[in-house]
Every structure is written in structure tokens, then in C-alpha cells.
Amino acid sequence: MAGNVVADLIRSLLDNLQESGSDLTSWEALSMILEFPEGSFNEAHGYLYLPDGEIAPVAADPWKVESAVKAYTDSYYAPGDTLPRKILVQFDRASGKYNVLFEETDEDRWKVTPRNFREIREELRPALA
């Protein structure tokens, strides 16, 4: 069951990417951060890694991916459990491999600022092949 909800989550994120001004068809890898401030999902943002070395910032409409995110979290958390602060979803397009990391306590983990954006986007780059 978990494999299906993971595939559905990744598919939903990809299907609902908002334009970033980059070519969204030739990417190699994806990293998306799902945020749950105050225990409720409200944001999905991250990066597409393109073959030419470009790293394109992207976001997915939270309203459009909410049901896939809920199905995924429902497969790990019981009703009434506290949801994580953030979830990192990484996907390598060529290999089909993925990784999902949960951040239970640190609200600042993977937080992008003007000073750290280059480091964060490299830290989030999937190394799954």
C-alpha cells in the first residue's frame, strides 16, 4: 500500500507544478518540501534539477496536491497523531528511485534564505541512482 501512496504523491506533485520560467519537461530529478505549520499541510516547494545543470525552483498548488499528501500521511500516522513539521520528497526520474524524509521537530530544517539557497538546493539534490 505504501508504494502506491508514494507513487500517487510524486505523480500529484509533478502534475501540479507551477511554472518557474524553466523547461519543465526535460528535468532529471525532483526535490519537494511539504510543510505542515501548526500541524496542517499548506505548502509544497522545491527544485527540479535539469540535465544542463540548471536548478529550477518550483512549487505545487497545495490545494491540488492536498488529497495525495493526506493519503500519504494517513498511511504513516494514525488519526489524531501529530504530523511532521516537514517532509522532503526526492525523486530520480531516470532510475525511478525515490526517498522520503520526515522532519518531526525542526521547523527550520531545509529553510531557504537568501544566504543559504545555493547550499540548500545542493543539499536537497537527490543522490538515488
Side-chain angles (χ1 to χ4, degrees), residues 1-99:
M1 178 176 173
N4 291 337
V5 294
V6 172
D8 290 346
L9 175 62
I10 292 169
R11 187 176 306 109
S12 182
L13 291 170
L14 290 169
D15 287 348
N16 291 288
L17 287 179
Q18 297 174 342
E19 294 297 326
S20 67
S22 298
D23 175 14
L24 299 182
T25 60
S26 65
W27 56 274
E28 294 179 334
L30 163 80
S31 288
M32 292 289 284
I33 299 167
L34 311 178
E35 296 202 26
F36 299 81
E38 299 178 20
S40 297
F41 170 67
N42 81 341
E43 191 171 338
H45 59 90
Y47 302 99
L48 284 180
Y49 300 88
L50 287 78
D52 65 1
E54 182 182 355
I55 301 172
V58 292
D61 184 328
W63 298 110
K64 292 181 180 177
V65 300
E66 183 176 30
S67 63
V69 171
K70 182 170 180 2
Y72 182 78
T73 56
D74 285 353
S75 74
Y76 284 91
Y77 295 90
D81 283 354
T82 301
L83 293 176
R85 299 288 184 160
K86 298 179 181 182
I87 297 175
L88 173 62
V89 179
Q90 297 174 304
F91 178 66
D92 181 278
R93 191 178 197 179
S95 70
K97 293 181 180 179
Y98 64 87
N99 188 39

